[in-house]
Structures are given as structure tokens and as C-alpha cells.
Amino acid sequence: MKQFMFPFTLAFTGLAILGALLAPQNGLTNLALLVSVGLVSLGKIPTAWRSGLLAVLALALTVLLRLNPSDKLAFYGLLAVLVATFLLPNLSTLVRVALGVAVLFIAVPIAGLTNSFLFELGIQIGIFAALALGLNVVVGQAGLLDLGFAAFFAIGAYTWGIFGSPQAAEFINGFPASGLPGNYLFLFMALAIITAAITGVLIGLPALRLRGDYLAIVTLGLGEVVRVLANNLDKPLNITNGPQGITPVNRPDVGLLLDFLRAVGAERLYGRPIDESIAYSFFFYLLVLLVIGVVVLVNIRLANSRFGRAWVAIREDEIAAKAMGIPLLPTKLLAFATGAAFSGIMGAVFAAKQTFVSPESFTLQASINILAFVILGGMGSIGGAVVGAAAVTVLNIGILKDFSDLLNTWRQTGVTILGYNMANLPPQLNPAKYERLVFGLILILMMIFRPEGLIPEQRHRAEMQEARQEAQEGGAK
């Protein structure tokens, strides 16, 4: 069977690309391309062929997106190519860099200039991936269960939200009435890192003397304290404007980017004059890419440093780590501060992108969602955290909503499928409303069939295999 896998993958991919180019608007051929990405990524084929086929598939999917920017299947296919490029073993660095640059800086912008939803999806994935990477340091590497992580996201968002809007003039005499100019965002991104890291240390000092479930409960409570403070600090001094939130939050000037886009002829892709709306979408897409790149780089460097090894030692056996001379509290505080800093910088970007900050964005549910990204991707795994965030975000704001729209269309047109008239579908059947149910089911299935996550950390995978082997040997006796 294995000897037929390579020719079958080659033939299927060739036919899928040919079909997509001959009938670019056909959903079936696009689905075949998506299947081809899976076959090329997971099948046993030579590395050189795998690299070449991924490049050809990325090119075909880019052409499809250019012809039809609302083609979600083609966009998901490009995401799959991107994930495969960075996570598959044996691909050369040159191939990874070339494919990554082509997808992120050519294919997605080409489609995003005509369909800003793709930029929005990319921005959301980037923001949540940075949050997942931050929590991955705390939970995955250091083994400290934190259920209040959204608090640091809120700290970063309010750091820029207050001073980049008219809000600061409410309690600081002589402050500019419209807030600081948007270009100060870059300075406040650095301040958000510092503010969130200091808050992480202050929260961690009392909390990190506890372990296990007690630590989880205390972090949950402290995380809620931050949200409640944001909700009530509107009197006697109006600092956060309470539950009404803060708006409008200023954005950086994108005049230079507008001039650049016009100079390179982006208006021909856009189909009409480039306006500020699409320029801001492109700007935040690039900004999030830059931040996520830095966060991933710092994560990799930390994981391979003595701090990363100390975190893993504490996670594996705290008493043994202490006996080996690792200072427990400072090492844990460093993990807390690092994770908080990643969250804080994305909070500032989030505030500028949304132009609105409200306590409702930083509830316990947000913390649980971030934890779900890490568990789904694989605790302790850098690639897993990014893939987990991407999978849940695509499912949440892409697939479930698209499925709801499809059911509504079937309900309105009264199409009959397998003898059932879809007009009789109950209106309550709306998958987009059941996202928490779907996430819960996914997590339950993951815990049963793949508890180490989609892309497990090497050490974690070995531990799980060892545990399974011991369980099997125990059962045999």
C-alpha cells in the first residue's frame, strides 16, 4: 500500500490543480486542492517532491484567491500550506522561508486587498497565537496553571486605550483632549510589555507560593479582580469609563503605507482607489505578523536557554528542581512576567485595531479560550500553540459562521437533501451559536484520543508514550 502512496498523491494533486485552473469557481475542485495539501503534508513522499508540491499548491491557491477573493476554501488551503511548511520535518530552511514569505507577504495581501475579511482573519489568528504562546510559557513550559491570563491582555489594552483616547483628559489636567496621537502606539507597545510584566510579577508573588488547583483558583480570582477594576474605575476618578468602555482609541498614521500601496499599483488589485479602511487592515496585518515573529523568536530562544530548562525542571518535579539549586520563586516569576509581556503587547495592538476597549473583552471565557488553544495545540509546544490558536480561530469566526450561512441559505431556498426539505430545519439550529459546545467536544475528544495535543512537545510526547506503555504492561499483568 505504501508504495502506491507517492504516485497516488502525485496524480491526485495534478488532477486537483488542473481541475481548479479549468474550473476556478467550482467548490469541489477547491476541496480537492485542500485534500491534496493534506496528502502532500501527511503522506510518505520524498522531501524534494513534498517541497515542490507545496510550492505548486501555494501558487495554485494564490491564483484561485486572486480570481475569487471570497473563496474561503482556497484561503484555508493556504493556511494549511503555511502550517505544513513550518511544522513538517526535513524541509530545508530555504524552502520554509521562501514558502512562508510567499504565503504571508504575497498570497494573503493579494487576496486581502480585495477581501478585507482575510486580513481580519489573519490578524485575529496572530493576536490569539501570541496570547497562546504567552500562556504556553506559563502552563506548558513552567507547568503553572493560570486561569486569569486575559488580565494581562486587558492591562496592555487599557495602557494604550486610556492614553490614546480622550479618556486620559478626564483625570489628567492639560492632557490633549483627543488623546495622544496614534503614532505613540509604538511607544506604548513597549510600555504595555513593561506594565503587563510588572503586573505579572505582582500577581505572581502571592499566587506562586501555591501549587496545582490552589494556584489555578487564585489566578482565576486575581484575573477577575483586574476585570472588575476596569469595570468600576469610573468613579470617583473616571479612569476606565467603567462598563461603557473607551472609544475612540487613536490609530497610527498610515499615510506612508497608502502612498506605498498606490506606488506599487495595489489599486489595480483592489479595483478602486485605496482608502484608509483597507490600508489599516493591511497595516495591522503587517504589525501583527511582526509582533508574532518576535514572540516566536523569543519563545524559541527562551526554550533553549537555561531559563527554559529550569522551567521544564520545575514542571517535571519541583522538589528535585529545588534540590538541584534552581530558585523556585524567581524562576516562576520570570515565566509569569514573560507570558504577561507577550499578552500585554498584543493588548495594545488589539486596542488600536478595535478603536474600542471594554471589560467585556477580558472575561473568564477569554482566559479559558486561550488555555484551550494551548491544550489543543500541545502544552509546551511552540508550533502547537500557534496551530491551536489558528485552528480554533478559523473554526470560530470562519467555519462555524460559514456553516450557519449555508444552513440559512438552504432553509430559505427550501432545497431538498436526501429526501429532507431543508426549509423545515428549526431556526434554532445555528452552529455559530454553539461554539462553546463544539470547543468542549473537541477538547473532550482530544483528551481521549490525543491528550498530548495536535503537535506535542518532544518531551511531553515521550512521557505520554511511556505512560501508555506502563498502563498496557499493568493491564497485561
Side-chain angles (χ1 to χ4, degrees), residues 151-152 154-156 159 191-206 222 226 333 336-337 340-341:
F152 307 121
I155 297 285
T159 299
L191 291 178
I193 292 175
I194 297 169
T195 313
I198 291 173
T199 309
V201 171
L202 292 177
I203 288 179
L205 270 173
L222 291 172
V226 172
L333 283 177
F336 238 64

Side-chain angles (χ1 to χ4, degrees), residues 37-253:
V37 175
L39 287 173
V40 171
S41 304
L42 303 176
K44 291 188 178 299
I45 62 176
T47 303
W49 277 96
R50 193 194 306 277
S51 305
L53 288 174
L54 284 175
V56 173
L57 282 168
L59 181 63
L61 290 164
T62 304
V63 171
L64 287 183
L65 272 177
R66 176 70 190 95
L67 294 173
N68 181 16
S70 59
D71 188 342
K72 301 260 182 78
L73 281 178
F75 183 72
Y76 297 149
L78 270 179
L79 272 181
V81 169
L82 189 64
V83 170
T85 299
F86 285 104
L87 297 181
L88 286 176
N90 302 327
L91 292 184
S92 70
T93 305
L94 180 64
V95 170
R96 293 184 199 277
V97 172
L99 274 176
V101 168
V103 172
L104 291 174
F105 294 100
I106 299 176
V108 174
I110 283 176
L113 283 173
T114 44
N115 182 4
S116 59
F117 171 76
L118 301 183
F119 278 147
E120 177 65 25
L121 195 55
I123 293 168
Q124 294 283 345
I125 290 173
I127 289 175
F128 290 133
L131 298 181
L133 284 167
L135 188 59
N136 188 50
V137 171
V138 181
V139 177
Q141 295 187 33
L144 307 168
L145 184 53
D146 183 355
L147 293 182
F149 195 69
F152 307 121
F153 190 40
I155 297 285
Y158 273 97
T159 299
W160 173 239
I162 290 172
F163 294 97
S165 72
Q167 186 60 33
E170 295 278 335
F171 60 93
I172 299 178
N173 289 330
F175 199 82
S178 59
L180 292 173
N183 287 340
Y184 277 81
L185 169 67
F186 304 109
L187 171 64
F188 272 75
M189 284 167 64
L191 291 178
I193 292 175
I194 297 169
T195 313
I198 291 173
T199 309
V201 171
L202 292 177
I203 288 179
L205 270 173
L208 291 177
R209 298 182 187 278
L210 304 172
R211 287 194 285 180
D213 299 341
Y214 300 103
L215 173 62
I217 293 169
V218 169
T219 53
L220 187 155
L222 291 172
E224 281 298 288
V225 165
V226 172
R227 187 184 66 80
V228 171
L229 277 176
N231 218 14
N232 291 281
L233 276 181
D234 55 343
K235 51 185 175 299
L237 276 179
N238 186 3
I239 298 175
T240 63
N241 206 28
Q244 288 80 26
I246 299 171
T247 190
V249 179
N250 295 329
R251 294 170 153 186
D253 180 45

Side-chain angles (χ1 to χ4, degrees), residues 130 133 189 193 286-302 338 341-342 345-346 382:
L133 284 167
M189 284 167 64
I193 292 175
L286 293 178
L287 184 61
V288 166
L289 276 186
L290 177 66
V291 174
I292 196 74
V294 172
V295 168
V296 169
L297 192 62
V298 172
N299 246 285
I300 293 172
R301 298 286 293 175
L302 279 174
T338 306
F342 293 160
I345 188 172
M346 271 308 181
I382 294 172

Side-chain angles (χ1 to χ4, degrees), residues 192-446:
I193 292 175
I194 297 169
T195 313
I198 291 173
T199 309
V201 171
L202 292 177
I203 288 179
L205 270 173
L208 291 177
R209 298 182 187 278
L210 304 172
R211 287 194 285 180
D213 299 341
Y214 300 103
L215 173 62
I217 293 169
V218 169
T219 53
L220 187 155
L222 291 172
E224 281 298 288
V225 165
V226 172
R227 187 184 66 80
V228 171
L229 277 176
N231 218 14
N232 291 281
L233 276 181
D234 55 343
K235 51 185 175 299
L237 276 179
N238 186 3
I239 298 175
T240 63
N241 206 28
Q244 288 80 26
I246 299 171
T247 190
V249 179
N250 295 329
R251 294 170 153 186
D253 180 45
V254 290
L256 286 176
L257 183 62
L258 266 173
D259 294 340
F260 172 76
L261 289 174
R262 286 168 183 152
V264 298
E267 289 180 339
R268 287 197 294 274
L269 288 174
Y270 191 38
R272 56 182 186 272
I274 295 283
D275 53 14
E276 276 203 343
S277 170
I278 194 69
Y280 271 117
S281 295
F282 190 37
F283 168 77
F284 281 110
Y285 172 75
L286 293 178
L287 184 61
V288 166
L289 276 186
L290 177 66
V291 174
I292 196 74
V294 172
V295 168
V296 169
L297 192 62
V298 172
N299 246 285
I300 293 172
R301 298 286 293 175
L302 279 174
N304 297 325
S305 70
R306 65 187 178 92
F307 298 115
R309 290 191 289 274
W311 291 335
V312 172
I314 290 174
R315 183 190 70 190
E316 297 300 314
D317 191 329
E318 199 168 309
I319 296 174
K322 187 177 181 181
M324 294 302 293
I326 296 174
L328 295 185
L329 188 59
T331 309
K332 289 180 180 179
L333 283 177
L334 181 64
F336 238 64
T338 306
F342 293 160
S343 188
I345 188 172
M346 271 308 181
V349 174
F350 175 78
K353 177 196 162 291
Q354 297 290 103
T355 68
F356 175 67
V357 183
S358 153
E360 293 305 310
S361 303
F362 314 107
T363 58
L364 173 63
Q365 183 61 42
S367 295
I368 299 295
N369 285 346
I370 301 166
L371 184 61
F373 302 155
V374 177
I375 294 174
L376 183 65
M379 287 201 291
S381 165
I382 294 172
V386 176
V387 170
V392 174
T393 306
V394 167
L395 186 67
N396 185 16
I397 66 176
I399 294 174
L400 288 180
K401 287 185 177 171
D402 289 345
F403 192 37
S404 291
D405 293 341
L406 181 65
L407 287 182
N408 282 333
T409 306
W410 285 352
R411 197 178 286 121
Q412 289 166 5
T413 55
V415 65
T416 301
I417 296 177
L418 298 175
Y420 183 79
N421 190 340
M422 302 301 279
N424 296 326
L425 276 176
Q428 293 84 2
L429 186 59
N430 185 350
K433 290 183 180 176
Y434 304 137
E435 59 183 64
R436 294 180 189 178
L437 173 68
V438 174
F439 295 161
L441 285 174
I442 290 173
L443 286 179
I444 291 170
L445 292 173
M446 286 294 297

